[in-house]
Each structure stands twice: as structure tokens, then as C-alpha cells.
């Protein structure tokens, strides 16, 4: 991958460092995922043997620049909704102990041009609420439940 | 306004109740604001004498269904960016002590159809970080700083 991991003390490099601290699992619930640097970090974790699971939005996963196809090709498990509404979450959970969530979609445009917030929370109560939501969505979007010809 | 406040124990009614607990101030930083029930709650607080300040995104404030014009007409102070990037935050701060933030844009579509999260945080450290960001944006978007003919 020609895209280097970000260096220095930018918001993006701090986000990448938090992700790369994962040792066992990374659960991602992302409306939109087109930022190459963040995809590279996720790919790297997968290669290190961290269990990566990714849930995304069906309408946005096929947009130009989406990294979802590349991550699937690398062997990362991806599931998506099959509804007309958006799967609009944008959070990550590192090792079931650190929640990273906010307004930021994982796109280059958002990182470079927008006013955004990202919260990093290790309080168990908040982490559990998001982990529970992740597990619900992960099961709900199991391909075994897809209805192609309703 | 013909639109009743929501009742019962829905996510929307819980959000409205948190907002209506404001006694002194409500600071809003909202990418998109088209939900009539939430606009009604904000309008009600303004009429009760709560100091409401609203920051929004210049590109989205004029979209169909936006409540920004109506709230301005009611006398609520509104400021907006003048950049090509989005003012993509979606948070509220009640009485400088309760932060409400997440993935949820304040639109009927998001509330009815999307998978979203809303965090309610009273931890002073988090509230201060968002309050500081609000004050920065409020000053940066002061109309005295608008450049109409750069």
C-alpha cells in the first residue's frame, strides 16, 4: 500500500495510534470508510492477528473511494445493513475496553476539511453500551439473515 | 406551532426532556436541524428566557425543511461557518453542565430511519472540552468576521 501511516501530532495520527494499540480485537461500526491511512491501520492490525470485525452502511460502502472492498479482499469480516435508513454510527472499540466515537466519518474529506469531534472513552459503562450495540448489529446483519427476494 | 412535543418513552422524547431541563443556557452546535419537535423544544426554552445560542453549517441551513430560519425569526441567535468544509458537530450543552453528543443529526429522517447513537455526559472534563470548542466556534463565526468580498 503506497499510503504511509500519518506521523507527527495531528488528530489523525493520534487516532491511528489509539487503533494500533489493539492487541486482541477491533470492532468497527462505520457509516462511511474511505480514508486510506485509517484503512491501512486496520489492515495492519488484521495482519498482526487482531480480530477485526467491521459493520458498515450498504448504500455508502460502494461509493467512490470506499475502502470496504479492499479490506474484504484482505480477509477482514465485513457486514452491512439491508435497510433504506442509514447505519450512521461511527465508532470503534479497541480490545473491548476503549471506545472511540463522535461525529467523524472515516473519510479524507472529513479529516481534512470539516469541524468534527472524536471522543475517547474508557469508562466501562459507556464502552459496554456501545459493545452491546455492536453485537446486536453484528448478529442482525449476519448474511444468513439477508432477504434477497422478500 | 402545530407540532406536539413527543410523549412516551422514546429516544426522541428522552432527548427532548433532557433539553427541557435547561434553566439558564442551551448551546447548540448542529450540522443539520430539520426536526420540528426538537425545534419546538428549543423555541420553548427561548420563550422561557433560557439563553439559546445556535451554530450551524452554512450549506445545510438552507436545505428544505431546515428549522434554522424559523428559529432565527423567533429571535434566537444563530451563527454559521463560511467554509467549504462542513461544520459537522452535532452536540448540545445544557446549562454548561450536561453534554449531549453523538452521530445523530437533528433531522426527522435520522430519528425515524437510521441507526444512531446519542451520549449524555456530565463528566466535567468532557463537558469543558465541548464548551471550549463551542466558544471558539461562536467567536470564529461572529458575523463581524464574515468576509463577503475576499
Amino acid at each position: 500500500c503506497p499510503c504511509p501511516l500519518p506521523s507527527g501530532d495531528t488528530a489523525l495520527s493520534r487516532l491511528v495510534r489509539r487503533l494500533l494499540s489493539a492487541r486482541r480485537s477491533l470492532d468497527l461500526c462505520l457509516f462511511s470508510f474511505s480514508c486510506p491511512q485509517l484503512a491501512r491501520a486496520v489492515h495492519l492490525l488484521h495482519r498482526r492477528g487482531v480480530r477485526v470485525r467491521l459493520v458498515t452502511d450498504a448504500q455508502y460502502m460502494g461509493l467512490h473511494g470506499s475502502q470496504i472492498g479492499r479490506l474484504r479482499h484482505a480477509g477482514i469480516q465485513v457486514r452491512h445493513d439491508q435497510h433504506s435508513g442509514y447505519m450512521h454510527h461511527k465508532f470503534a472499540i479497541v480490545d473491548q475496553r476503549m471506545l472511540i466515537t463522535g461525529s467523524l466519518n472515516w473519510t479524507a474529506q472529513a479529516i481534512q476539511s470539516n469541524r468534527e469531534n472524536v471522543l475517547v472513552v474508557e469508562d466501562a459503562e459507556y464502552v459496554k453500551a456501545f459493545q452491546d450495540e455492536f453485537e446486536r448489529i453484528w448478529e442482525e446483519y449476519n448474511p444468513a439473515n439477508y432477504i434477497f427476494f422478500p
Side-chain angles (χ1 to χ4, degrees), chain A:
Chain A
C1 170
C3 168
L5 287 173
S7 58
D9 190 36
T10 65
L12 178 59
S13 68
R14 289 197 296 277
L15 174 54
V16 165
R17 275 201 300 280
R18 302 275 190 181
L19 296 174
L20 291 180
S21 74
R23 291 295 168 263
R24 292 179 308 280
S25 66
L26 178 66
D27 293 324
L28 299 169
C29 206
L30 298 170
F31 172 51
S32 179
F33 191 172
S34 62
C35 173
Q37 289 101 327
L38 290 169
R40 181 145 192 252
V42 170
H43 189 185
L44 195 58
L45 289 169
H46 172 68
R47 288 213 313 262
R48 283 182 189 165
V50 170
R51 184 196 186 198
V52 178
R53 295 183 293 176
L54 201 166
V55 169
T56 192
D57 182 76
Q59 282 124 297
Y60 269 66
M61 64 188 279
L63 292 196
H64 180 72
S66 170
Q67 299 287 324
I68 299 295
R70 184 174 301 184
L71 293 171
R72 272 195 156 144
H73 189 72
I76 292 171
Q77 298 179 73
V78 178
R79 295 184 179 180
H80 59 79
D81 69 321
Q82 55 166 353
H83 306 112
S84 58
Y86 290 136
M87 200 309 295
H88 200 240
H89 290 305
K90 33 227 74 305
F91 68 82
I93 306 174
V94 174
D95 289 338
Q96 305 203 349
R97 63 167 176 82
M98 183 199 291
L99 167 67
I100 301 169
T101 189
S103 64
L104 182 77
N105 291 312
W106 286 24
T107 69
Q109 200 255 321
I111 289 165
Q112 286 159 15
S113 312
N114 291 358
R115 204 102 193 195
E116 303 276 4
N117 63 76
V118 177
L119 279 159
V120 179
V121 183
E122 303 200 52
D123 182 294
E125 187 190 348
Y126 289 97
V127 176
K128 184 177 186 309
F130 280 74
Q131 188 74 53
D132 288 351
E133 171 74 351
F134 182 88
E135 302 297 344
R136 264 194 304 273
I137 294 181
W138 187 251
E139 280 316 308
E140 189 180 325
Y141 296 177
N142 186 326
N145 299 328
Y146 290 173
I147 300 160
F148 293 100
F149 304 100

